[in-house]
Amino acid sequence: MSLDFGAFIPFVDHLGFTLEKFDGGESELHYAPLPEHCNSFGVLHGGAVMTFLDVVMATAARSAQPDSGIVTIEMKTSFMRPAPATPGLVLLGRGRLLHRTRSMAFVEGTVLDVEGRLCAQSTGT
């Protein structure tokens, strides 16, 4: 079951992310990459991975205060292994709010392949 993002985000809609969990500073999203989301090595393009992480982290932050708007001002990403873009396979993104002030949210996110292996990890503000 997919939940509503609460706002129409054209790029997220284009990439096909689905919001599966949105609660208390945590989020889970699914992403079934398409072949056109790949790089020249046939795996998911790093920019698509970072976009997925950005949305994963933003939804985690928003889940603690659903009426708040979120913009990313800083993001650090580490790529551990290629994220596969195999038709029919879904990547899992998990986000967690680490700390929130009146105007800032500090978050982390991970992308896991279908076997639960860590593909990428990010922190953001």
Side-chain angles (χ1 to χ4, degrees):
M1 173 183 87
S2 175
L3 302 173
D4 184 7
F5 282 88
F8 178 64
I9 307 167
F11 194 48
V12 169
D13 186 59
H14 172 74
L15 291 172
F17 303 165
T18 59
L19 180 60
E20 306 296 327
K21 180 180 180 183
F22 182 75
D23 184 47
E26 295 185 353
S27 68
E28 285 192 5
L29 285 83
H30 290 172
Y31 178 23
L34 298 174
E36 54 267 29
H37 302 162
C38 291
N39 62 22
S40 60
F41 297 104
V43 296
L44 189 58
H45 189 283
V49 173
M50 289 185 73
T51 298
F52 189 41
L53 284 163
D54 185 42
V55 174
V56 162
M57 293 187 297
T59 54
R62 279 190 48 242
S63 74
Q65 288 182 298
D67 294 333
S68 65
I70 298 291
V71 295
T72 303
I73 62 169
E74 178 269 338
M75 182 174 172
K76 179 192 183 303
T77 303
S78 298
F79 298 94
M80 279 53 151
R81 68 172 23 91
T86 308
L89 297 183
V90 175
L91 298 173
L92 171 64
R94 288 190 178 138
R96 185 168 69 103
L97 176 63
L98 301 172
H99 179 70
R100 179 113 196 187
T101 69
R102 187 174 51 79
S103 61
M104 305 277 270
F106 300 87
V107 290
E108 67 180 5
T110 56
V111 173
L112 306 167
D113 67 14
V114 294
E115 295 178 24
R117 296 178 300 186
L118 183 63
C119 296
Q121 184 272 335
S122 193
T123 57
T125 308

